[in-house]
Amino acid sequence: MSKLNTSSSELDLDRPNIEDYLPSGSIQEPHGELRLRDLLDLSPTLTEAAGAIVDDSFTRCFKSNPPEPWNWNIYLFPLWCLGVVVRYMFLFPLRVIVLTIGWIVFLSCYFPVHFLLKGHDKLRKRLERGLVELICSFFVASWTGVVKYHGPRPSMRPKQVFVANHTSMIDFIVLEQMTAFAVIMQKHPGWVGLLQSTILESLGCIWFNRSEAKDREIVARKLREHVHGADNNPLLIFPEGTCVNNHYTVMFKKGAFELGCTVCPIAIKYNKIFVDAFWNSRKQSFTTHLLQLMTSWAVVCDVWYLEPQNLKPGETPIEFAERVRDIISVRAGLKKVPWDGYLKYSRPSPKHRERKQQSFAESILRRLEEK
């Protein structure tokens, strides 16, 4: 009950006051005519609907806020035009060259190592880890990435898992250039899916499909097997399960917190002064997202490797997940909201709609009986 009360209070704090958005005439006492205030008093359902129209804390987690325009006068507009020319005509071609060189070096080394060292697994895995870190460094260089890492670098140890807040697929690249993690990730189509099934597969990465219920059992089994392997790469999980806009954190899935191992939190915070690193996968492909980063001035971010955490006596995996989410949110300056990120991919169930319809009908009947 205390957790429900906490979630309810968080929602109340984040919910706008509808009266602030109503015309002053609608708040005054009516004189024989129906006003907007009467309609809102009719049912909590209408009040919730009006609040959702004005603002809601769920969709705000997945909105990309456009930058404030600064080229609004005759003095600044020429500077803005000069910046566009520099970014698109000079920086972008240079970054494409850097990324192309990176891929040439990576592929010319990776495939010989992968196929010619089949009988020397330890050496092959060590070289593959180094090469993946190298290509991720080329990716970060292609955005003119300025990444500051805080805390000790992750190491390979059994019975530990790393969890981080999730803003974009580039989170994985930013972390991977420092340490070759094995990541659990949604299976993607196109060239990203090709990389997943070839190069990243060698790191022990685990793929899943949200639409497949059987994948959950398979993934849970693979997670347990991976974290107990002494020679496996460190496991990285984004427990939010979806990209959030780096202003909020949504609920963490409990899967990473019921493995019976140490959880190492990682907080990632992007500085939006040059570009918004949030990837809205419903509005743009990852290729378009990369082009947006490569045509910006720079990608600036901070990464904090925080103190490892363990399950406390009497603590449930859900409470453990919330405690770790608190730690990450405080360090990165993010606001917690009591929402499941998977709601972004689902529609309300028929039973939920029927309950809302029944509640609305009962409130109208009570109102008519009062009259």
Side-chain angles (χ1 to χ4, degrees), residues 3-44:
K3 294 191 73 175
L4 290 175
N5 293 335
T6 303
S7 298
S8 177
S9 62
E10 289 179 2
L11 280 173
D12 291 338
L13 289 173
D14 209 37
R15 182 178 294 142
N17 184 7
I18 303 302
E19 293 185 0
D20 295 340
Y21 296 86
L22 296 179
S24 57
S26 65
I27 301 179
Q28 298 173 357
E29 290 296 325
H31 299 286
E33 60 180 284
L34 188 64
R35 295 182 182 272
L36 181 57
R37 176 63 181 272
D38 292 318
L39 292 176
L40 293 179
D41 284 342
L42 184 64
S43 168

Side-chain angles (χ1 to χ4, degrees), residues 240-265:
E240 290 172 298
T242 187
C243 295
V244 187
N245 64 6
N246 213 227
H247 286 295
Y248 301 89
T249 55
V250 297
M251 291 171 57
F252 281 9
K253 302 293 181 183
K254 66 176 183 177
F257 303 90
E258 54 186 6
L259 297 174
C261 60
T262 300
V263 175
C264 306

Side-chain angles (χ1 to χ4, degrees), residues 156-198:
M156 291 177 57
R157 295 177 184 175
K159 294 187 178 181
Q160 69 173 3
V161 60
F162 292 82
V163 298
N165 58 300
H166 198 24
T167 305
S168 167
M169 202 188 299
I170 71 167
D171 299 337
F172 168 71
I173 299 174
V174 167
L175 296 176
E176 199 77 3
Q177 75 156 348
M178 194 66 159
T179 303
F181 288 103
V183 68
I184 174 172
M185 187 186 296
Q186 164 75 21
K187 183 67 176 176
H188 291 273
W191 66 272
V192 176
L194 179 62
L195 293 180
Q196 287 179 317
S197 59
T198 54

Side-chain angles (χ1 to χ4, degrees), residues 114-128:
H114 184 72
F115 291 108
L116 298 180
L117 296 178
K118 283 289 186 182
H120 305 80
D121 289 344
K122 287 188 177 181
L123 176 61
R124 177 175 57 83
K125 288 182 179 181
R126 185 167 69 250
L127 292 175
E128 286 177 348

Side-chain angles (χ1 to χ4, degrees), residues 264-313:
C264 306
I266 302 176
I268 307 173
K269 181 64 176 178
Y270 291 94
N271 189 328
K272 300 185 180 182
I273 186 171
F274 295 122
V275 66
D276 186 358
F278 171 57
W279 177 39
N280 190 338
S281 58
R282 290 195 164 189
K283 291 187 177 181
Q284 61 179 184
S285 65
F286 186 62
T287 302
T288 305
H289 181 56
L290 284 180
L291 290 175
Q292 178 185 348
L293 300 180
M294 292 176 69
T295 53
S296 68
W297 286 110
V299 174
V300 182
C301 94
D302 286 272
V303 176
W304 290 273
Y305 298 108
L306 304 175
E307 184 178 352
Q309 304 293 319
N310 290 285
L311 187 70
K312 295 180 178 179

